[in-house]
Amino acid sequence: MLREPGRCLLGRDDITDRLGEIGCPAFVVHGTEDGAIDMELARTMAAGLSGCAGVVPIAGAAHAANLTHPDLVNPPLLAFLRGLPG
């Protein structure tokens, strides 16, 4: 039952070297207690995205910061969205 989700996660392509091809506005939200993905990888992703406004660290949050800490995620998300043109 978990074979396909596991295969999807473990077998996906690494696109780190192609991040610069993504030109749309972005920012990275990352929990400081994320045990699956290190904060340094979040910084690397943000640096590789040409339209990235930076990393928003969410103190105390793990991998799904938007679900566990919406009070910390939503304000910077709304500010980002409101700052987009048009």
Side-chain angles (χ1 to χ4, degrees):
M1 178 174 242
L2 294 176
R3 182 176 304 174
E4 282 305 307
R7 188 181 65 74
C8 177
L9 289 172
L10 298 173
R12 63 184 172 201
D13 294 338
D14 180 0
I15 63 161
T16 303
D17 60 340
R18 298 187 63 198
L19 289 174
E21 296 175 32
I22 300 171
C24 63
F27 79 103
V28 176
V29 175
H30 194 78
T32 61
E33 302 303 315
D34 189 336
I37 299 173
D38 188 74
M39 182 63 81
E40 192 54 40
L41 288 176
R43 289 187 189 103
T44 298
M45 182 168 66
L49 292 166
S50 61
C52 189
V55 178
V56 177
I58 305 299
H63 192 67
N66 60 315
L67 299 177
T68 61
H69 293 70
D71 54 322
L72 297 176
V73 173
N74 289 343
L77 174 59
L78 288 172
F80 172 76
L81 293 173
R82 288 181 179 133
L84 294 175

